[in-house]
Structures are given as structure tokens and as C-alpha cells.
Amino acid sequence: MALIHVSASSLCKLSGLKPQQIEPTLTSLGIPLEGQEGDDLALEITPNRPDWLSVEGIARSCFSWRTAKPKIYKAGPAKVHFALDESVRNVRPVLGSALVRNVVLDEESLQSLIQLQEKLHDTLGRGRRKMAIGLHDMMAIRPPFTYKAVGRSEARFVPLGKSAPMTPGQILVEHEKGRAYAHLVGERCPLIVDADGDVLSFPPIINGERTRVTLSSHDLLIDCTGTSEQAVRVTVSILCAALADRGGQVEEVKINSKPCRVFEPQVTPLPIASAKKLLGVDLDAPAIARHLSRMGHAVSGRSVHSPAFRADLLGEADLIEDIAISIGYNELPMHLPSFGATGARQDSSGPLHEAALGLGYFEAMSWILTNQQVIANSRAEGPALKVSNPLTEEFTTLRPWLYPNLLGILSHSKSQPLPIYLYEVGPVEEPEGGPGASKAADFVQSEHFAAIAMHPKSCFSESWAHLQGVGSALGIALALEETDMEGFIPGRSARVCLRIGGGEGPAEPAGSQSASVLSSPIGLIGEVHPAVLESFGLEQPAALFELQASALMGRGVVVTE
């Protein structure tokens, strides 16, 4: 997932939404709202929708969702020419380009454009390996342009952010961007030069200072180089659509005398029979066309014209997924299977599921991988095992507890009606080596059981009553050891122990006479601290408990006198 920041006022201006419509619309489209501070919205974008990596792309989808009208983009004929030299064939062979005229930039739109460029590099470009972007002020350069490969010492130009000319070889050694991406360049370095031989760009490393885009720039040249023709093509269309949404006029560019097509739609048949089969809904052609229009597709007769910037459309099933999103997954009919089957034996945690479901909780299933920010926001105690080579910022750590992820799920469920009761049974990585644990050998995987309730009257007493209900269903007695824990309201948290040999009565506090023999703590319970709730963007009280599932099921219990 990519985290981006957009302006709420710009989103409303570009989409026609009212402020109170932003969150429900984004939720319906599948764009989680991570948080809001004033006009700034923090949004999580799924990797398959790079066209949503800017406020313009999100506003475009919100506009279609609201009006059931797709935005149609057109590019003017090519007037600028590029020469693609044979020398880049074995270096970085793919080139895409377009020219956007009469762009009006302010500080917010310029920052949005820069963010879009960097996020596309990180996601669709795979760290600039598959694709890298250059944006240039046309006023400083003169066409035609040439894309060629040169030796490391064969050219000199002033790279972005510097004041003195450097060779490509010097940039790779001395410039921070050069050092970061030097592994993508061999002995021959790709360069883009204009008719006067001035260097515009050294892809995928850095642009030249000469063509820096500023608030006074109005005509922008886009270059996109890479190793993937599909990634380059989609990227050029994404950038052109974003600038067109800001009022720019897009022109195609000729590369070796052949127009580089922008906004060329993907045309597929209207999936009438397949949609009915996969979704279980009897939809006619006009209904399917209406749902696809809400998702930004143009329908003409029995053909669907999908935007060129939709990188996620690989086949018919992707169109049907868009139809399902427009209908709403909660609105799709549910049917029992029409065939009989022999059920498999439940695993050992089956009674925990039955107890939680019987108390009205709904099951959640989250990833065992999380990140340090989620753990820090929850103030969960103890060390956590970090991944040495994480692929994304979202999955950098193996979770030591379940409840931080449950809080994260609640933060994505703020538009759902209250009360919300969630539980999870799943693996965690517990430290065996004490507070200093950091290596994989210091941790052991075990199964935990956690439950959380969020509503205006959620409190410690309710969670304790529910935990007693779980104990009763499992035929075990529980006791509490009062203690204040980080992340919970002082005086409203406790360790949970098993009470052994104290009779079959109800669960009791640890200090009672009947609780003479206790296990070591097997979990915790408490009311979540308001500061923790605020860090997850939650406005309602929440209380939770989490315990070792093996101990609840009577395995691995350590007894203390």
C-alpha cells in the first residue's frame, strides 16, 4: 500500500463532492482514509491502482462515482519529435513522451505532481527499474529531442539541485540520487538532449537543473523511459490525465516519426453473461453499462472503452470486479451451496471461535506482518521481530500481539454502524529472549486469541464479563492481577491468569481466597487509552482482551504459588 497526502478542498473542487461525502465515497471505492489533519487527507492506495496516486486521479473516480459519467480525454496531434537512438537498445530501450500546454500550477498542484511522480517511481516503476519519469519546462529547451546512450565521461550538465556541471560518472558517485540509483546504470548512460545538445535528463537518475519545473512553468514536456513498454505507456497516460484535470491541453509526441499514443482506450466486450455467472445477479446491458460508467468506463453498444491509465485491467474479471464495487459487496446476494459435502474436523481453536461468535463478535483475519508505526500507535509492550528486507513500508515487522491489528481494522471501519465487536485467533511472534530480543532465534511463534469492542459504552466491565463468558464456555476459571499497562487507561487494565484448583465458581480477582493457585499471566485486558484511540483516528471508547490460545485450551500452563 502506498500512503499519499491530498488536499480535501482540492478533492471537493475537482470531483464536485461535498466535505461530508468524502469519507463514504472513498470507502465505497476501496480507498481507506488513514487520517485527516485540517485540509490534509492521508490515504492508502492499493498497488493495482497507480492512477489513484494523486488528488486528480482520486477526484476523477469520485466524479464518475457521483455522476455515473466517465471522464473522456483526448490528445492533440504531434508537433514535437523525438529520435530514439539505436544506442539505448541494450541500455534502457523503451521511451514514451507527451507535451502538455497551458498548465497553471500553484504550490498545491505542483506538490501533487511531484508526489505523483515519486509514488509512481516507487510502485509502478519498481524503484525506477521498470520506469522513470522526467518533467521539463519547455521554455528552456528546443525540439527536436534525442534519446541516446553515452559513455560516463562523454557529456556534462548541471543536475537538479546543483550549480556546477557534472559528468554522468560523477553524478553516479557524488550525487545523492546517483548513489541511490547507480545500480540501474551500466557503463553506457542514457541521456535526453535537445536540438542544441543541452541535456534535459539522465534517466533514471536525475533531470537537469535547466528544465526545472516551477510555478511559472506552463508548457511541460513529459519523458518516460524504462524496460517495460506497458508500464511506460500507462505512466504517460496517468500524468497526462492529471495535468488535463488541471486545465492542460495534451499533445502527442512523435518518436522516430511514429505518434506516441496517449489516452488510447482498452476496448473489451460488455461482460453480460460472465457478470451474471460470477456475481449471481441478473443484470441487463443498461444496468451493467451504468455500473461501469460509475467506475470510469465508457460503454458504447456492446463494447467497453476503459481508460488507458487503468493499469489493473488484465481481463474480463477485472471489469466484473468494478461492477461488484459499484453494486456494493454487501448488496450482493448470498446463496448456500447447492451441493453436499463432508465437513472437516475443527482445529483445536474451534471452541474459542464458538465462544466468541456466541458472544456476538465477528471474526477478523489480519496479516501476521505489520509495521512499527502500528505497534507504536498501540503502545504494545515488548520487542517485535523486524523483517530484514521488507518489500513495503506496511509490512516490516512480525506482530507480537493481535490487538494492534484489530485497532487498525477499527480505524478503517469508522463508517460502519456501532457497536463493533471483533475477535481474531491467529499466530504472533513472542519474544523468549526478554526485552533485548531482536534476532529470529529470540522469538517463538504461538497462537493468540484477542477480542475488542468499540461503542459509546464500551468499558473494562463489559470486556471482563465477555472474558468470563469465554472461560465459562471452555470450562476454565480466570483471575485478574491488577496492573497499569502502557496503552490502557490507568486503573482499568489487568493481567489475566488461570485459577487452578479453586473450584468451579465464577472467575475472580487474583487476591480472592478461592484463587489460591494461579498460573503465570496468560494475557491482558483493559480499556484503551484515549491517546491510543486518537493515534488510530478513533472517536469511540474501546476495550479489549488478548490471551494465549494454548493456555486457554489447557496446554502449556505454568503454575505459580
Side-chain angles (χ1 to χ4, degrees):
M1 303 283 278
L3 183 67
I4 68 169
H5 292 267
V6 304
S7 163
S9 56
S10 291
L11 179 58
C12 291
K13 180 180 178 181
L14 292 169
S15 66
L17 290 177
K18 297 178 180 179
Q20 63 270 24
Q21 295 175 314
I22 291 177
E23 185 171 358
T25 302
L26 294 179
T27 300
S28 298
L29 287 169
I31 303 175
L33 176 60
E34 283 295 293
Q36 180 173 4
E37 292 185 8
D39 189 56
D40 180 72
L41 302 176
L43 307 176
E44 277 196 345
I45 307 301
T46 56
N48 65 324
R49 290 301 302 266
D51 55 303
W52 280 349
L53 292 171
S54 69
V55 66
E56 295 85 4
I58 295 171
R60 187 183 311 127
S61 290
C62 291
F63 172 83
S64 296
W65 181 271
R66 182 178 65 85
T67 63
K69 295 178 181 179
K71 282 197 169 185
I72 306 299
Y73 298 89
K74 294 184 178 180
K79 300 176 183 177
V80 172
H81 293 254
F82 246 106
L84 180 62
D85 194 79
E86 186 70 20
S87 59
V88 298
R89 177 182 294 274
N90 297 320
V91 176
R92 195 172 178 87
V94 183
L95 171 68
S97 183
L99 178 61
V100 187
R101 298 190 185 274
N102 302 319
V103 178
V104 178
L105 295 173
D106 56 21
E107 191 64 39
E108 186 270 327
S109 59
L110 180 57
Q111 290 304 314
S112 176
L113 183 61
I114 293 171
Q115 176 181 244
L116 175 59
Q117 180 183 11
E118 291 307 312
K119 294 297 182 180
L120 285 171
H121 282 160
D122 294 340
T123 55
L124 189 59
R126 297 296 189 269
R128 305 192 187 189
R129 178 178 57 81
K130 291 179 66 175
M131 170 279 296
I133 303 161
L135 299 172
H136 311 279
D137 187 341
M138 274 290 291
M139 292 296 293
I141 47 181
R142 192 166 66 89
F145 306 107
T146 301
Y147 177 45
K148 62 182 181 178
V150 301
R152 292 194 171 198
S153 303
E154 291 182 24
R156 293 175 65 84
F157 70 101
V158 180
L160 197 64
K162 301 295 181 181
S163 57
M166 303 173 71
T167 66
Q170 288 174 320
I171 291 173
L172 295 176
V173 175
E174 300 174 18
H175 197 286
E176 57 272 18
K177 292 295 185 181
R179 292 192 297 271
Y181 299 103
H183 62 283
L184 300 176
V185 179
E187 289 302 314
R188 303 289 290 175
C189 301
L191 292 182
I192 297 175
V193 300
D194 72 353
D196 299 321
D198 292 322
V199 176
L200 282 63
S201 179
F202 172 18
I205 308 300
I206 196 165
N207 289 343
E209 179 67 29
R210 181 186 186 90
T211 61
R212 176 190 287 271
V213 175
T214 66
L215 297 181
S216 60
S217 302
H218 297 295
D219 295 346
L220 303 184
L221 176 71
I222 299 170
D223 79 70
C224 187
T225 65
T227 58
S228 167
E229 186 173 345
Q230 192 267 349
V232 168
R233 175 181 55 80
V234 169
T235 298
V236 173
S237 291
I238 290 173
L239 290 165
C240 287
L243 291 169
D245 288 334
R246 294 288 187 176
Q249 285 88 52
V250 180
E251 293 180 7
E252 292 180 341
V253 168
K254 283 189 176 181
I255 300 176
N256 286 354
S257 302
K258 182 179 179 181
C260 178
R261 296 301 183 192
V262 182
F263 302 141
E264 191 167 36
Q266 309 170 60
V267 182
T268 51
L270 198 67
I272 300 176
S274 300
K276 179 179 179 180
K277 179 180 180 181
L278 285 180
L279 302 180
V281 181
D282 192 5
L283 298 170
D284 56 17
I288 290 177
R290 183 174 63 256
H291 288 301
L292 289 173
S293 295
R294 291 187 77 203
M295 299 301 292
H297 305 272
V299 179
S300 177
R302 293 300 176 98
S303 296
V304 181
H305 296 254
S306 302
F309 47 74
R310 284 291 298 271
D312 60 315
L313 300 179
L314 303 178
E316 188 179 63
D318 297 303
L319 291 179
I320 298 173
E321 180 185 18
D322 274 6
I323 295 170
I325 292 171
S326 176
I327 294 171
Y329 283 108
N330 291 334
E331 303 302 320
L332 294 175
M334 294 182 289
H335 302 287
L336 291 172
S338 59
F339 56 87
T342 302
R345 184 186 179 117
Q346 283 189 320
D347 61 21
S348 58
S349 62
L352 291 175
H353 291 280
E354 293 177 4
L357 293 170
L359 289 166
Y361 286 79
F362 288 89
E363 184 179 10
M365 298 180 69
S366 61
W367 302 104
I368 188 172
L369 287 172
T370 183
N371 59 74
Q372 287 293 313
Q373 189 61 54
V374 171
I375 295 173
N377 286 347
S378 68
R379 302 187 184 180
E381 63 181 10
L385 182 59
K386 297 180 181 179
V387 179
S388 61
N389 56 339
L391 294 179
T392 71
E393 295 179 356
E394 298 303 308
F395 301 123
T396 62
T397 308
L398 282 87
R399 62 186 180 188
W401 296 90
L402 297 177
Y403 74 84
N405 283 9
L406 292 180
L407 286 166
I409 292 172
L410 289 180
S411 73
H412 295 307
S413 307
K414 290 181 287 187
S415 61
Q416 299 302 310
L418 299 176
I420 298 178
Y421 292 94
L422 298 176
Y423 83 94
E424 181 171 5
V425 179
V428 300
E429 289 291 329
E430 292 184 320
E432 276 194 324
S438 61
K439 299 178 296 184
D442 299 330
F443 291 79
V444 62
Q445 186 172 110
S446 65
E447 193 171 48
H448 275 208
F449 167 58
I452 190 167
M454 184 176 77
H455 57 85
K457 296 184 178 180
S458 179
C459 61
F460 181 93
S461 298
E462 180 189 44
S463 284
W464 178 226
H466 287 174
L467 185 52
Q468 287 178 297
V470 172
S472 177
L474 298 176
I476 60 175
L478 300 169
L480 301 179
E481 287 185 351
E482 297 180 15
T483 182
D484 288 339
M485 290 178 286
E486 184 75 10
F488 297 93
I489 297 175
R492 301 184 192 179
S493 63
R495 303 285 183 187
V496 181
C497 306
L498 291 176
R499 178 162 58 84
I500 303 170
E504 300 298 326
E508 300 177 6
S512 65
Q513 292 297 318
S514 58
S516 56
V517 181
L518 301 179
S519 72
S520 59
I522 63 168
L524 55 81
I525 182 172
E527 277 187 50
V528 182
H529 197 283
V532 173
L533 295 175
E534 183 179 358
S535 69
F536 283 94
L538 301 175
E539 299 176 353
Q540 298 292 337
L544 61 87
F545 57 82
E546 179 164 344
L547 304 97
Q548 298 168 355
S550 59
L552 285 175
M553 302 307 296
R555 305 188 304 273
V557 178
V558 178
V559 177
T560 59
E561 295 296 336

